[in-house]
Amino acid sequence: MPDQDQQPVVWAPGTHELGEGARWVDGRLVFTDILAGRLLEVSGTAPGIPRELLRLDVPLGAVAPVEGRPGHWIAAAGTGIALLGPDGSTEWLARPEEDAAIPVRMNDGVCDPQGRFWAGSMAYDETPGAGSLYRTDHDGTVHRVLTGLTIVNGPAFSADGRLLHVADSTAGVIHRCTLDADGNPLDMVEFARITDGGSPDGMTVDTEGRLWVAVWGSAAVHRYEPDGTLSAVISLPAPQPTSVCLPPTGGRLLVTTARLGLPDAPPPSGAVLAVPVDAAAPAAVGYRPR
């Protein structure tokens, strides 16, 4: 299992407390600073200073573009799922965690190839089993799909949308589910387990079906083959990578990082990093409202 020797560079400088949700949209990288409620963008062709697109007064975990509506997003935010306008206007589709017994917020999220939006949740105090995975269908209804998880990250899908990868970060486990045509899990198996003290965080599937995973606490990104074999480890100069993005043109891995809980966080913690790689992935799929 090779350790990649390409040298990471800073693609977008910053001291984001909890950068996350790296997605390729319209030839650029978009990402969030979760606890600050910020959605940011940076050029996909050259390093640069990130630009704020909008800011919410609640945590913003991740977004996906809304198909056919430029500048509009579906978001995992606060205690639920919302549609966001270019001016930051918010239309809540559902807030399933609003009445949770303990404070819970939404976390990572992404659209599957069918244009449905999936997002996970977690308790602020990381109470075991308090996290869930939700699916937002084309008609705007929000369904709880998985329960009993702790910190839900990912999710990531195979090219046909039939395989779902989702991380329970605290447990150090990446699960894989087979889905039916309506997006309901038919099974759930352990795809991979991280045993070196790190936690699986954001992830993406490349055009060859390999899973790339940011490993929080291990200053690394792992690459897994479709059978779950760990085939590469990319070392990073920041201890808390949070999400990964592979542009469709290939050649580069973009990684968001965090400073959360690191009073003496070494630079470039909180920046977006780039590493040369021989891999590509499709651009972010848009949410397809009915």
Side-chain angles (χ1 to χ4, degrees):
M1 181 254 303
D3 187 77
Q4 301 292 303
D5 58 3
Q6 296 92 336
Q7 291 302 307
V9 299
V10 172
W11 190 261
T15 55
H16 306 105
E17 184 178 14
L18 189 53
E20 250 282 16
R23 306 287 181 260
W24 191 266
V25 180
D26 297 331
R28 61 190 165 149
L29 180 75
V30 298
F31 65 101
T32 64
D33 189 357
I34 293 183
L35 300 180
R38 303 174 70 207
L39 178 62
L40 303 127
E41 69 171 1
V42 67
S43 168
T45 58
I49 304 297
R51 183 176 78 90
E52 183 175 297
L53 292 173
L54 56 84
R55 185 189 297 247
L56 304 181
D57 60 2
V58 295
L60 177 58
V63 303
V66 178
E67 194 170 274
R69 298 173 63 185
H72 290 74
W73 309 88
I74 188 169
T79 56
I81 308 298
L83 296 174
L84 308 179
D87 59 355
S89 59
T90 305
E91 175 190 345
W92 291 100
L93 298 179
R95 297 193 230 193
E97 300 290 6
E98 185 72 13
D99 298 318
I102 56 175
V104 172
R105 67 166 176 83
M106 300 305 295
N107 199 40
D108 205 0
V110 70
C111 280
D112 64 17
Q114 287 73 26
R116 301 171 295 210
F117 185 64
W118 297 69
S121 65
M122 59 171 286
Y124 280 93
D125 66 359
E126 303 181 13
T127 295
S132 299
L133 179 68
Y134 296 92
R135 186 191 72 239
T136 303
D137 287 342
H138 305 296
D139 61 0
T141 57
V142 178
H143 307 272
R144 185 181 266 115
V145 176
L146 296 175
T147 61
L149 306 174
T150 300
I151 299 179
V152 184
N153 268 300
F157 295 88
S158 60
D160 62 4
R162 296 302 301 273
L163 293 178
L164 158 71
H165 300 85
V166 61
D168 190 350
S169 297
T170 303
V173 175
I174 302 166
H175 301 287
R176 184 171 67 189
C177 300
T178 303
L179 304 177
D180 67 17
D182 295 320
N184 301 306
L186 300 175
D187 59 15
M188 185 167 75
V189 300
E190 182 176 308
F191 174 76
R193 180 179 292 268
I194 293 176
T195 58
D196 62 359
S199 300
D201 207 316
M203 58 185 78
T204 194
V205 177
D206 70 15
T207 53
E208 297 184 19
R210 300 175 299 188
L211 185 70
W212 299 70
V213 184
V215 184
W216 174 284
S218 282
V221 170
H222 287 184
R223 188 188 73 197
Y224 295 91
E225 297 302 309
D227 64 359
T229 301
L230 177 62
S231 57
V233 174
I234 297 174
S235 297
L236 300 170
Q240 293 179 164
T242 54
S243 69
V244 292
C245 178
L246 289 162
T249 52
R252 183 182 305 122
L253 176 71
L254 298 168
V255 186
T256 56
T257 66
R259 298 171 54 87
L260 182 67
L262 299 176
D264 299 313
S269 294
V272 178
L273 307 177
V275 189
V277 295
D278 183 17
V285 176
Y287 173 62
R288 298 172 191 154
R290 181 174 299 166

